[in-house]
Amino acid sequence: MELDWGCADQALCDTSGHCVYPAGSIRVFGKCHPTDCDWGAKRTYAENGGWESATYKYSWAAKSVWVKTYQYNGRTYLRVWVHTDFTPADGRQDYTTDVWMLK
């Protein structure tokens, strides 16, 4: 995974107090056969609780990817939560993965 958080500490706000934060980007790689897959780069969107999200849409499924960093005992962890929603025509069971990576 390649992750660019953008500039979350800078916001563009209008007179009503509505703010927009510059977007980051994410590029996901997966384990495929016979060669690994590059899901491509997507713009991320700021979500509640410090999460960033992006959605990858394919003819057979939509994959919602959420990422967030955590600090614990002086170490930085990246949590990657992915929900795969298969189309009815595909017939497979939807599933979710929740992976923690140590920087």
Side-chain angles (χ1 to χ4, degrees), residues 7-27:
C7 296
D9 62 339
Q10 299 176 6
L12 304 172
C13 301
D14 62 21
T15 56
S16 68
H18 178 262
C19 298
V20 176
Y21 296 89
S25 64
I26 190 169
R27 186 172 193 160

Side-chain angles (χ1 to χ4, degrees), residues 13-80:
C13 301
D14 62 21
T15 56
S16 68
H18 178 262
C19 298
V20 176
Y21 296 89
S25 64
I26 190 169
R27 186 172 193 160
V28 178
F29 299 88
K31 190 71 176 162
C32 298
H33 182 76
T35 59
D36 292 345
C37 331
D38 178 352
W39 293 12
K42 293 282 184 180
R43 177 182 173 174
T44 59
Y45 295 89
E47 303 289 353
N48 290 333
W51 288 91
E52 293 277 330
S53 72
T55 302
Y56 290 83
K57 293 185 180 182
Y58 303 100
S59 61
W60 46 274
K63 292 183 171 275
S64 299
V65 179
W66 290 59
V67 294
K68 180 178 178 177
T69 58
Y70 290 85
Q71 298 290 320
Y72 184 71
N73 284 341
R75 297 178 125 182
T76 302
Y77 293 85
L78 177 66
R79 184 177 183 186
V80 181

